[in-house]
Amino acid sequence: MKSLKAGLAVAIGIVVFNWSSALAQGSGSVFESSSTCKECHEDIYRNWRNSLHALAFTNPIFQTAYNKAYRETKGEARKYCLGCHAPTVRITGDYDAELPITAEGVTCDFCHTVTGIDLESPGSPFVSSPGDVKRSVLKQAESPHHKTEYSSDFASSKLCAGCHSFKNRHGVAVGDTYNEWKNSEFAKEGKQCQDCHMQQIAGRTAIEGGRDKIHDHSLSHNLASMREAVKLKFVKAKSTGSRFSAQVEIHNAKAGHNIPTGTPERHLVLEIQTKDRGGSVIETQKRVYHKSIVNSKGAEIFSDGDVFLHGVQIVEDNRLRPGEKRLEKFVFSKRVREISSVSADIYFLYEPLVAQKTEMRIPFFSADVFVK
Ligand code: HEC
Ligand code: HEC
Ligand code: HEC
Ligand code: HEC
Ligand code: HEC
């Protein structure tokens, strides 16, 4: 998904944010730039650089939504959106995004100078102490550039919760990944966000004096892991008289939270098609898994930015809970005698608002059964 988004950014070719003007402002920030960390933490930097964390502020999907929210609220949205998409502003107060560090999005020095997390304080969950001490999970780490400190928070979902669970100003849980996880078996077993999203991979923790394994900072979810996340099985496929029925079991097997999780613009689609002997489609049916949020007039909101501002109620949520297996039944009535096979496809459908509405389909599971 990450690479698709990067591809989209190139294809659309709009650069809403002007890097060069920000860079001309000079630093003046209490946070250090990722380009400083890069000098020694080259592998981690390269790994992080194309992540959605690094792009959280500059990516065109965010920028489009942000500019709209900004206009609608006469600038008030700055205080709200940037707290997560460019979290250094929480300390620097750079809500006009003039400092280069702001454009670094969820940057190294923001995370690694967190000294405490207070989830009871939703507007300001992070206790930040930017400066000389960099914290994480290494014991006895020694650096020529900074002091180090071990902190168990870095191995805990709590660190992620500050941004990955949020209510909007109407109290609606727009994104609730952390709580979905917290109520799951994964949480009971002690499996944290990092255990799935920041696994250890080959690389040097630092050019000099480092170790051989790094935690993956890219947040990549490649197709292989997504394919494993949702499993699908045909339970039944047969015709009775003028009807053909198919039953499939869809299983959220590997995600530590609902699928889809996060902002409500993400839809998971299960598509079942009957086909004739020649492979041509006779009939198509779909189930869409998503969380549906409406505005005060009861109309469903489809864009991520709007949902943050105008969502007042969750009216439907049929997403697959962690570990859930659900039996879905489909009945077909068209040209039943000619049905030769049924196919099942699952894909993510995501329609972000960028310049014009763009559709992204990310297929990740496909199966066929022959019935004759
Ligand atoms: C001059 C080289 C250098 C620079 C610049 C540098 N570091 Fe380090 N850092 C190191 C070394 C060496 C280690 C120890 C690595 C090890 O023990 O595996 C380290 C360790 C760390 C750790 C582990 C702390 C722990 O106890 O778990 C963090 C976090 C860290 N650095 C963050 C940063 C950040 C953020 C920046 C940029 C603001 C940065 N570093 C800049 C050399 C550097
Ligand atoms: C300071 C806020 C912040 C913190 C802390 C944070 N994230 Fe994020 N994360 C974001 C934002 C904002 C995005 C979305 C960026 C975008 O797409 O514009 C994001 C995106 C992601 C994505 C990619 C989602 C996708 O659509 O592909 C994953 C996975 C993720 N974060 C996991 C984590 C994990 C795991 C942690 C804890 C170790 C964490 N995040 C901590 C703010 C944060
Ligand atoms: C047991 C493994 C596991 C755990 C634990 C886990 N995740 Fe995930 N996560 C996945 C898988 C697999 C996917 C891919 C399926 C998907 O995209 O929904 C995913 C997807 C995501 C996405 C992207 C959603 C999208 O539609 O692009 C985000 C954001 C995310 N996880 C954040 C988190 C956070 C935050 C936590 C901790 C509170 C966490 N995850 C815990 C396995 C896990
Ligand atoms: C979203 C917060 C976040 C951001 C942004 C982030 N890190 Fe980390 N970093 C972590 C977490 C969490 C761990 C520990 C992961 C674990 O224990 O599973 C970690 C581990 C590390 C370590 C210890 C070695 C290792 O791989 O375990 C170093 C060094 C480090 N990060 C440097 C950096 C640098 C440099 C950047 C920017 C290029 C960066 N980090 C960006 C959260 C972050
Ligand atoms: C509490 C933290 C938080 C706040 C506040 C927040 N976001 Fe986000 N936003 C996230 C996270 C985390 C993600 C990505 C993962 C997910 O979907 O949960 C995200 C994803 C998005 C996306 C999808 C980006 C993509 O690359 O697909 C858009 C657009 C977006 N946010 C816009 C906004 C706007 C506009 C505001 C302010 C009105 C805002 N956000 C406020 C945390 C936040």
Side-chain angles (χ1 to χ4, degrees), residues 1 5 260-268 289-290 304 349-350:
M1 183 170 277
K5 282 182 188 166
T261 189
T263 54
E265 206 166 273
R266 294 149 213 258
H267 295 63
L268 183 77
Y289 304 95
H290 75 137
D304 283 333
L349 186 65
Y350 183 56

Side-chain angles (χ1 to χ4, degrees), residues 5 52-53 56 59 84-85 87 159-160 163-164 219 221 266:
K5 282 182 188 166
L52 280 174
H53 281 161
N59 90 66
C84 296
H85 285 264
L159 183 74
C160 321
C163 298
H164 283 273
L219 312 175
H221 29 149
R266 294 149 213 258

Side-chain angles (χ1 to χ4, degrees), residues 1 164 177 186 192-193 196-197 221 254-257 261 266:
M1 183 170 277
H164 283 273
T177 308
F186 294 100
Q192 312 293 316
C193 314
C196 294
H197 289 285
H221 29 149
K254 289 275 171 72
H257 36 69
T261 189
R266 294 149 213 258

Side-chain angles (χ1 to χ4, degrees), residues 36-37 40-41 112 136-138 142-143 145-146 205 208 211:
T36 304
C37 320
C40 302
H41 299 292
H112 287 292
S136 103
V137 293
L138 298 182
E142 277 188 42
S143 158
H145 180 73
H146 52 75
T205 54
E208 270 175 57
R211 320 164 194 216

Side-chain angles (χ1 to χ4, degrees), residues 31-92:
F31 287 101
E32 287 182 88
S33 163
S34 58
S35 58
T36 304
C37 320
K38 176 187 172 195
E39 287 166 26
C40 302
H41 299 292
E42 206 180 273
D43 289 347
I44 295 176
Y45 175 86
R46 218 179 307 117
N47 195 234
W48 164 85
R49 188 66 200 97
N50 294 314
S51 71
L52 280 174
H53 281 161
L55 302 172
F57 178 73
T58 51
N59 90 66
I61 297 176
F62 172 71
Q63 281 291 325
T64 307
Y66 179 58
N67 287 341
K68 187 164 177 281
Y70 188 98
R71 282 195 307 273
E72 266 183 43
T73 60
K74 302 196 171 60
E76 206 198 306
R78 298 181 306 171
K79 294 243 154 93
Y80 181 53
C81 312
L82 298 190
C84 296
H85 285 264
T88 51
V89 302
R90 289 173 182 271
I91 303 295
T92 62

Side-chain angles (χ1 to χ4, degrees), residues 238-245 332-333 335-337 339:
K238 70 167 193 189
S239 48
T240 34
S242 60
R243 285 167 175 240
F244 178 84
S245 61
F332 298 87
S333 55
R335 290 160 54 201
V336 169
R337 282 159 180 280
I339 296 171

